[in-house]
Every structure is written in C-alpha cells, then in structure tokens.
C-alpha cells in the first residue's frame, strides 16, 4: 500500500503524467493570458497608488503631476510591449531577454539579464502576495495581525497549484483574472459616467489634507525633478511581468510565436485601459493617501486608523460605500488577482531557471521535469526564497516595493539593445526591399525601447538605490558570480572526464582484487561473498577489524565451521577504530599494484523506516565516504532487505523516470519485481 505521504502527494499534485503527454499541456490564448499576464494586469491595483504615495511626500500641492506621470508610464508600457512583440517573433524558442542578450551581446551580459530576472521574479511573488493581503485587510481590518501568516499561506497554495501543472493552474486562475478585468472596467465606467453626469464619486480621504514629510516644503529645481522622477519610477511597477510571455513562448499552442504575440498585444491594451482608468478616477475622486496615516490632517485618531488602498477607496466611492456589494466584489477580485499575479513568476522563474540550468549556469536538477511535467524544483525554489522575503520584511508592500522593478528594466534595456544588433546582422544578408523596410521599422522600435528603458533604469537606480534597491543589486551580483562559478565547475568537470585516447581510457586493469568487509558471519555477509565471487576477480579475501578479541575468535570459528573458501584477513585495532584501519589497508593494497582495481563489497541493510537508518549502516556509510576518495577503488553496496522493507511496502509505480530530464526522452522502460534490482531507463 502507498504511504500516507505518497497519498497526500497524489491528492495535492495529482497523478504522474507520461512524457508523451507534454503536448496536452500547451496553452490556448484564453488560458495563457491569465497565466502570463496576471502580473502586469494586476499592477493597476497598486501602480497608481505608488505614484500618489511619492507625490504626497511633498503634500497635496504636487498631485497635479499625476496625469503627466501616468501618461509617461503608458507611453513606456506601449514601447515595451511593441518591443517584446519583436522578441517573440525573432526568438520563438523561448528564453526571452536572456536568449536575446546571450546571442547578441555575449554570455556575460546574458547572465546579467538572467540574474536580474530571477531576483525580480522572487520580488514579484513577494510584492504581489503582500499587496493582495493588503487588499484583504482593507476589507477586513481585523486580520491585520495575521498579515505574514496569510502571505505565507498564499505562497504555499500557489506552490501546490503550480506543481499540478501549468494548464491546470491556468484554468483555476482564469476566472479571477477575467472577473478582475470586468469588475475594474465596470468601476471605471460607472465612476466616469457619474462624473460626466455631474455626480462625481468622492473618496473617503478627500476631506483630509496631507502634511509634507519634512514640514512646510516648497520644492523647486532639482528637488522637484527628483520627486517627480521618483514618482515615475514607482509608477513603472505597471510594467512588471511584461517579459514573461517572451520567456514562455514554448508553452503556447501552435503557431507559438503568433499566439504569444497576440496575447502580448491584448495584455498591453487591457493594461493601458485599466491603468489610465484607475489613475483618472483617482484624480476625479480626489484620493489622498500617505505613507503614514498620521500625516493625514483632520483625523481624530490617526494611530488607530487603517488607510484603505487606492482601489478600495475608489470602489467605495463609486459603488456607494464600504458596505456595498460592488466594494466587496472589487476587493475580493483585486486580492485574488494580486495573489495570483505571483503566478506569472511561478511560470517565468522555473522556465528561465531551466534554460540557465541547460546552459550549465544553475544546477542541472532545475532542468528536470516533475510528476506533472512542470519544472517542479524551480517552483519549490521560488516559493522558498519568496517566503523568506515575506517573512523577513513582514509582508510590507512599502518595504518590498523598493527592491522591485530594477531587474525588469535591466532586462528591458539589454534585450532591446540586443535586438538592435540582431536586426543589424539580419539586414547584412537581406536583399528583398520589403523585408528590409520591415526590419528597419523593427530596429527603430527596439532602438526606441532601448533608449527609453535605459533612461528609466537610470532613474530607478538614482531614486530607489538608497531606499533598498541596493539589496536587489547586491543579490543580482551575487547570483551572477554564483552562476559563473557553477558554469566553471561544470566546464572543469567536462574537461576532466572527456575521452582523449579511447584505447588508453578503456584499457582493462591488470588485476581485479575483491575485498569483502565483514563484521559478523550472517546472511548479508554470505550474500556479499557470493556477489563478489560472481565478478570473477583475480583474488578475493574477506576483511574484518578486530575491536573485541572474543568477537574475532567467534568469527574465525564460524568461518572454519562453515568451511568458507575465502581467506579472512584480520586487522587489529588497539584504539578500537574501524574505519581508519580498513581504509589504510585497502589503500596499501592499491599502492602495491598501481594498475590494479580494488573492488570493495560492503553488506548493507535496507530498512523500511527512516528511524531504522539511525540504528544500522553507520559504519558502512563512513567507510564508503572514505573509500570513494581513493583512486582505483570501486565500492559496491550489497543490499539485504529487512522485513520492514519487504513486508507491506510494494514498489510504488512511478511515471517514466524517477529523475526526469527537461526534455521528454525517447525511453525504453525495464521493470523487475525485485526492489533492489530495478534497472534504469535507457535512452
């Protein structure tokens, strides 16, 4: 019978899927949109708020910059979407910015993009979940004390859903995404209609003033420019996640590039409409929000006042108060979409990590597909790091937001620069006038994108670096160095084991000497002796270390009584050590014959319960660890299954391959009835 853990795994994740079923997991556009675009679509729930929070640092006097900043964000979003449509068509195999930059600007620049995006995907999960929890607390303030616990719970839920598979999670996430889009559009339409009819909605905070952060401020010159630029950089959170579709092109149904480009265009149009609508409505309703509620003037008790988010205030103003159905609908949809926006990262991070692992920049395990044909190791790694960020920053959006978007604009800038070089190279060989004109236009789009996003990157660095963005820079730099080190290690290993002289590298040893380690004479010992004989070595002997003379005498007597035709070598150990005498003896035998192979056979118990490992095999484990570092020595474990391992625990059937590679292999499966001799799949 399966164990309780195995049953729970199947309930949470589902049945294992065969490699041939990978084609069934490809996404239609209606499912791909909520999976890959939930992050940029949901950013309208906090992008406008971030602009207002920065502008109100100087009081209410600077809120008139809001529409201009919003227009700049929309322009930038349009340029980036158009630029990434070029990336999708030029690099339909996936990889997005990493593939573009690595191909056109070199591996080092590609790693900068890879490291930046991995860090930003982690921040996407942290910020989205924390912002979703904020909206829940706006509707239910009594839950404020459980902020961190709720955030970690949502990360765990998203992890379980994504481990079930991309298509399955997409079906679950589709409804909340479309409900959010529909709900916000209705809110925007209703609010603007009321404004046109002379009954403009009024936010609950419109009656409050805001004290400037540093007293009476009259900003001018450079200080005013920095305030506006800082607000603009905060509003650029509306662009996060735009690149995810270019990374996930292989997940689309055919024609992959066209479907991905269409989805990207739809996402851009919807994001622009929602962002413009929410920003306009915030201006019309006169939403006033500050980083500290005690900066709001006119509050009777600011210490116990919980500020609602901008979108919560708008919903209450448009639909008739915080007790209306429309208010709770918008809050529920917003909380869901913000939490599910993290799903963009749960799809982008494992895909990118898989590509980096395939290029030997990350551990190869990240390129393996799990039971449900997803890169499950990447999903778990993302959840673990994002959970630590939420716990460390107490799931506070204001603290986390400063670490955000830096990696996105790094990848934006480098990928668009790489695309310019891509079109330059393409036009050197293109002679057809119509195609050359098309390439010229594409290059102009990407060049514009590179310049604009490069300027934004500088602004983000200048305005956010000292407020916490330096942590993201340091994390990306450390990750870059780590990935370079991993690649160097893989390259060194490959160079060390490559076949240089087939005849010499495959030459047989002069002799094979078998050594069977013995503690007492029992069935596992006899099996190990029989197994060693089956190898037909040139010489075989049994080896025991004498710690207790009486036990050794008993072993000798039994050896003779059973008439075992294998010489028994006894090593005396006056200091009662077992490992060192055995290892030193094997090494001495190896030194006597430099071209010999020493085959060491160690009997081991196979147990059925984890706690039994604490009682058995400890000496064997230490011996193996020491002997594996000795050249010319081969260590073979000879298993003996105890009743706890062979009784009620049958071999659990798995999907093809206990360890699955990233690409579905053409495999031939071998199955046996014996648990200790299951033969591996062969390609």
């Amino acid at each position: 019978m399966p164990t309780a853990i195995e049953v729970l795994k199947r309930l949470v994740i589902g049945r294992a899927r065969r490699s041939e079923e990978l084609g069934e997991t490809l996404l239609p556009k209606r499912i791909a949109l909520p999976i890959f675009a939930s992050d940029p679509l949901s950013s309208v729930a906090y992008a406008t708020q971030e602009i207002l929070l920065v502008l109100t640092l100087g009081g209410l006097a600077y809120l008139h910059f809001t529409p201009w900043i919003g227009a700049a964000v929309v322009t930038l979003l349009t340029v980036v979407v158009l630029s990434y449509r070029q990336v999708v068509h030029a690099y339909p195999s996936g990889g997005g910015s990493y593939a573009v930059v690595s191909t056109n600007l070199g591996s080092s620049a590609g790693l900068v993009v890879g490291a930046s995006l991995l860090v930003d995907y982690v921040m996407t999960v942290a910020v989205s979940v924390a912002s979703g929890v904020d909206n829940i607390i706006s509707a239910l303030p009594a839950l404020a004390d459980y902020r961190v616990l709720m955030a970690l719970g949502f990360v765990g839920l998203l992890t379980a859903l994504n481990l079930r598979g991309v298509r399955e999670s997409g079906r679950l996430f589709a409804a909340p995404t479309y409900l959010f889009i529909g709900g916000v559009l209705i809110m925007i339409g209703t609010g603007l209609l009321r404004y046109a009819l002379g009954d403009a909605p009024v936010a609950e905070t419109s009656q409050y003033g805001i004290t400037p952060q540093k007293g009476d401020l009259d900003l001018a010159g450079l200080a005013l420019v920095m305030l506006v630029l800082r607000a603009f950089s905060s509003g650029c959170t509306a662009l996060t996640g735009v690149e995810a579709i270019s990374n996930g092109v292989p997940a689309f149904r055919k024609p992959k590039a066209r479907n991905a480009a269409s989805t990207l265009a739809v996402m851009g149009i919807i994001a622009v409409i929602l962002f413009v609508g929410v920003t306009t409505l915030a201006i019309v309703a006169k939403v006033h929000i500050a980083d500290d509620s005690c900066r709001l003037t006119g509050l009777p008790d600011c210490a116990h006042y919980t500020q609602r988010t901008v979108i919560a205030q708008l919903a209450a103003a448009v639909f008739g108060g915080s007790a209306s159905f429309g208010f709770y609908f918008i809050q529920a949809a917003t909380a869901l979409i913000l939490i599910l926006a993290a799903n963009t990262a749960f799809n982008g991070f494992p895909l990118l990590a898989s590509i980096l692992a395939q290029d030997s920049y990350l551990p190869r395990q990240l390129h393996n597909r799990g039971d449900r044909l997803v890169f499950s190791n990447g999903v778990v790694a993302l959840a673990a790091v994002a959970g630590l960020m939420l716990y460390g920053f107490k799931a506070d959006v204001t603290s986390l937001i400063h670490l955000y978007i830096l990696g996105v604009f790094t990848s934006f800038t480098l990928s668009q620069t790489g695309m310019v070089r891509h079109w330059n190279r393409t036009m050197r060989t293109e002679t057809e006038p119509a195609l050359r004109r098309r390439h010229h236009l594409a290059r102009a789009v990407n060049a514009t994108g590179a310049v604009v996003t490069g300027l934004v990157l500088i602004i983000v660095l200048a305005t956010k670096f000292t407020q916490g963005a330096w942590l993201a820079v340091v994390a990306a730099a450390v990750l870059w160095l780590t990935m370079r080190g991993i690649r160097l290690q893989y390259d060194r290993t490959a160079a060390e084991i490559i076949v240089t002289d087939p005849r010499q590298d495959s030459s047989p040893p002069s002799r094979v000497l078998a050594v069977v380690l013995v503690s007492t004479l029992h069935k596992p010992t006899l099996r190990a002796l029989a197994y060693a004989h089956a190898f037909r070595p040139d010489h075989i002997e049994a080896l025991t270390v004498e710690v207790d003379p009486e036990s050794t005498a008993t072993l000798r007597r039994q050896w003779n009584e059973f008439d075992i035709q294998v010489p028994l070598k006894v090593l005396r150990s006056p200091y009662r050590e077992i490992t060192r005498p055995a290892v030193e003896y094997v090494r001495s035998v190896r030194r006597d014959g430099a071209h010999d192979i020493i085959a060491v056979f160690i009997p081991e118990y196979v147990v059925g319960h984890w706690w039994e490992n604490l009682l058995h095999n400890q000496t064997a484990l230490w011996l193996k660890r020491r002997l594996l570092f000795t050249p010319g020595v081969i260590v073979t474990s000879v298993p003996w299954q105890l009743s706890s391992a062979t009784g009620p625990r049958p071999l659990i059937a798995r999907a093809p391959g206990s360890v699955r590679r990233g690409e579905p292999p053409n495999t031939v499966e071998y199955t046996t009835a014996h648990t200790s001799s299951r033969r591996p799949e062969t390609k």
Side-chain angles (χ1 to χ4, degrees):
M1 292 179 61
T3 64
I5 294 177
E6 289 156 351
V7 171
L8 179 62
K9 179 181 178 181
R10 290 292 158 243
L11 287 174
V12 174
I13 298 176
R15 69 170 182 85
R17 305 191 70 163
R18 298 180 64 86
S19 299
E20 294 81 0
E21 298 179 72
L22 183 63
E24 300 176 14
T25 66
L26 298 179
L27 303 172
K29 289 179 285 187
R30 70 180 186 280
I31 300 296
L33 180 67
I35 288 179
F36 289 109
S38 55
D39 182 19
L41 292 180
S42 68
S43 64
V44 300
Y46 55 83
T48 300
Q49 177 172 307
E50 292 304 317
I51 294 173
L52 298 178
L53 281 170
V54 174
L55 290 177
T56 54
L57 291 174
L60 297 178
Y62 303 100
L63 288 180
H64 67 276
F65 286 108
T66 303
W68 301 103
I69 294 171
V73 171
V74 168
T75 302
L76 180 61
L77 177 58
T78 303
V79 170
V80 170
V81 168
L82 291 174
S83 299
Y84 268 100
R85 278 174 57 85
Q86 307 292 341
V87 172
V88 167
H89 285 295
Y91 292 87
S93 59
S97 299
Y98 169 72
V100 172
V101 176
S102 297
T103 302
N104 297 287
L105 301 180
S107 60
S108 294
L111 273 191
V112 171
V113 171
S116 300
L117 282 177
L118 290 178
V119 171
D120 213 73
Y121 281 137
V122 172
M123 297 312 305
T124 296
V125 175
V127 171
S128 297
V129 170
S131 186
V133 170
D134 260 3
N135 277 271
I136 294 175
I137 293 173
S138 291
L140 302 169
L143 297 176
D145 292 339
Y146 304 98
R147 179 187 302 272
V148 176
L149 186 61
M150 290 167 61
L152 295 177
F154 284 127
V155 170
L157 178 62
L158 286 170
T159 303
L161 291 175
N162 278 278
L163 288 175
R164 290 188 67 88
V166 175
R167 189 180 179 93
E168 285 74 8
S169 63
R171 287 170 175 164
L172 291 171
F173 299 160
T177 302
Y178 290 123
L179 286 174
F180 170 78
I181 295 171
V184 174
L185 286 175
I186 291 173
M187 182 184 74
I188 293 170
T190 305
L192 294 181
L193 179 62
R194 286 181 55 183
Y195 174 72
L197 296 175
D199 180 28
V202 179
E204 62 187 43
T205 55
S206 62
Q207 59 183 313
Y208 303 131
I210 297 181
T211 304
Q213 191 179 49
K214 296 182 180 178
D216 293 330
L217 284 182
D218 186 13
L219 297 176
L222 183 60
L224 179 59
V225 171
M226 290 302 296
L227 180 71
V228 173
L229 290 179
R230 182 177 167 187
F232 171 66
S233 67
S234 294
C236 286
T237 53
L239 278 74
T240 56
V242 171
E243 82 293 336
I245 290 177
S246 66
N247 289 336
V249 177
F252 283 79
R253 285 181 178 174
K254 295 180 180 180
K256 295 178 181 292
R258 189 172 71 185
N259 287 338
S262 299
T263 305
L264 186 58
V266 171
M267 178 272 295
I269 293 170
I270 296 175
V272 166
I273 292 173
L274 296 183
F275 176 73
V276 170
V278 170
T279 303
T280 303
L281 206 55
I283 296 171
V284 168
K286 299 179 181 179
V287 174
H288 297 164
I289 189 168
D291 58 346
D292 182 359
S293 59
C294 286
R295 286 181 48 227
L296 294 174
T297 59
L299 278 176
D301 185 10
C302 67
H304 296 90
Y305 179 75
T306 301
Q307 292 186 89
R308 286 196 172 100
T309 60
V310 167
I311 202 162
Q313 293 190 45
L314 292 178
V318 169
F319 295 118
S322 58
S324 63
F325 172 79
F327 170 80
Y328 281 107
F329 178 84
I330 292 294
Q331 286 308 102
T334 302
L336 277 174
I337 189 65
L338 283 168
I339 292 168
L340 299 183
N343 198 59
T344 298
F346 271 103
N347 284 277
F349 182 98
L351 280 170
L352 180 57
S354 169
I355 294 170
L356 288 165
Q358 190 175 25
D359 292 343
S360 300
Y361 289 114
L362 286 176
R364 299 270 169 79
Q365 292 87 340
L366 291 170
H367 187 56
N368 297 342
R369 292 184 184 270
D371 285 350
R372 301 289 292 178
L373 298 177
V374 297
F375 299 110
S376 51
N377 290 331
V379 171
V380 173
L382 173 61
V385 180
L388 288 174
M389 292 295 297
L390 286 165
Y391 182 80
F393 286 87
K394 302 185 186 305
D396 181 55
V397 178
T398 304
S399 301
L400 291 166
I401 203 75
H402 297 306
L403 310 180
Y404 204 23
I405 79 172
L406 187 65
V408 169
F409 280 98
T410 301
S411 68
F412 284 170
T413 304
L414 290 177
S415 67
Q416 301 315 307
T417 304
M419 285 301 295
V420 172
R421 181 169 291 186
H422 165 80
W423 296 123
N424 288 339
R425 188 173 60 252
T426 302
M427 285 191 292
R428 292 193 192 105
T429 58
E430 186 58 64
T431 57
E432 187 176 340
L435 287 177
R436 286 185 63 84
R437 284 194 299 271
R438 189 181 303 170
H439 294 336
H440 273 293
L441 178 60
R443 184 177 64 176
V445 170
N446 290 128
T448 303
V451 172
V452 173
T453 55
L455 290 174
V456 174
L457 177 60
I458 294 172
I459 293 170
V460 171
L461 276 173
T463 58
K464 290 182 175 290
F465 189 83
T466 57
Q467 297 175 350
W470 65 270
L471 283 172
V473 175
V474 170
V478 170
L479 186 56
W480 187 90
L481 291 171
T482 302
M483 290 193 292
R484 294 289 294 185
I486 291 172
R487 175 59 185 265
L488 181 61
Q489 175 61 26
Y490 277 131
D491 288 345
R492 285 175 176 170
T493 302
E496 186 175 339
I497 64 177
I498 192 171
V499 177
T500 54
D501 185 348
R503 181 173 299 177
Q504 180 179 352
D505 292 337
S506 62
S507 60
S510 301
R511 294 184 305 164
V512 176
L513 309 178
V515 177
V516 180
L517 298 184
V518 176
S519 58
T520 57
L521 189 58
H522 44 33
K523 290 180 179 179
T525 300
L526 296 178
R527 174 177 287 184
L529 290 169
Y531 196 69
H533 272 297
F535 272 73
R536 301 184 182 278
D538 296 286
H539 175 73
I540 182 172
E541 67 179 10
L543 178 68
T544 188
V545 178
E546 182 181 274
V547 175
D548 178 16
E550 293 184 5
S551 298
T552 304
T554 302
L555 176 62
R556 286 182 184 274
R557 185 178 67 255
Q558 292 176 331
W559 207 265
N560 294 326
E561 289 177 358
F562 283 93
D563 193 24
I564 298 175
Q565 300 300 311
V566 174
L568 176 64
K569 177 75 174 180
V570 178
L571 301 178
R572 289 178 173 80
S573 178
Y575 296 101
R576 298 162 304 285
E577 289 185 285
I578 297 177
T579 305
R580 181 179 296 178
V583 172
E584 288 180 351
Y585 175 77
V586 171
R587 289 175 176 174
S588 68
V589 175
R590 167 65 179 165
R591 284 193 297 269
D592 293 339
H595 299 288
D596 294 344
I597 289 293
I598 313 298
V600 179
F601 296 86
I602 304 177
E604 285 192 37
Y605 299 132
V606 177
V607 299
H609 306 99
W610 65 269
W611 52 266
E612 290 181 281
N613 284 310
L614 302 176
L615 307 177
H616 305 290
N617 299 325
Q618 297 303 309
T619 303
L621 183 63
W622 282 104
L623 281 167
K624 283 195 293 184
R625 287 178 178 174
R626 297 283 299 275
L627 290 171
L628 286 174
F629 286 94
T630 305
V633 174
I634 298 173
V635 181
T636 302
S637 295
V638 182
W640 180 270
Q641 290 79 13
L642 296 178
S643 60
S644 62
T646 58
R649 293 173 56 88
L651 179 63
I652 303 300
R654 298 294 302 272
S658 297
V659 178
R660 301 165 180 82
R661 306 305 304 165
E663 297 300 325
N666 294 321
T667 60
V668 178
E669 297 183 43
Y670 295 92
T671 58
T672 64
H674 200 283
T675 57
S676 66
S677 58
R678 188 184 183 193
R679 297 167 64 184
E681 299 170 356
T682 59
K683 290 186 179 181

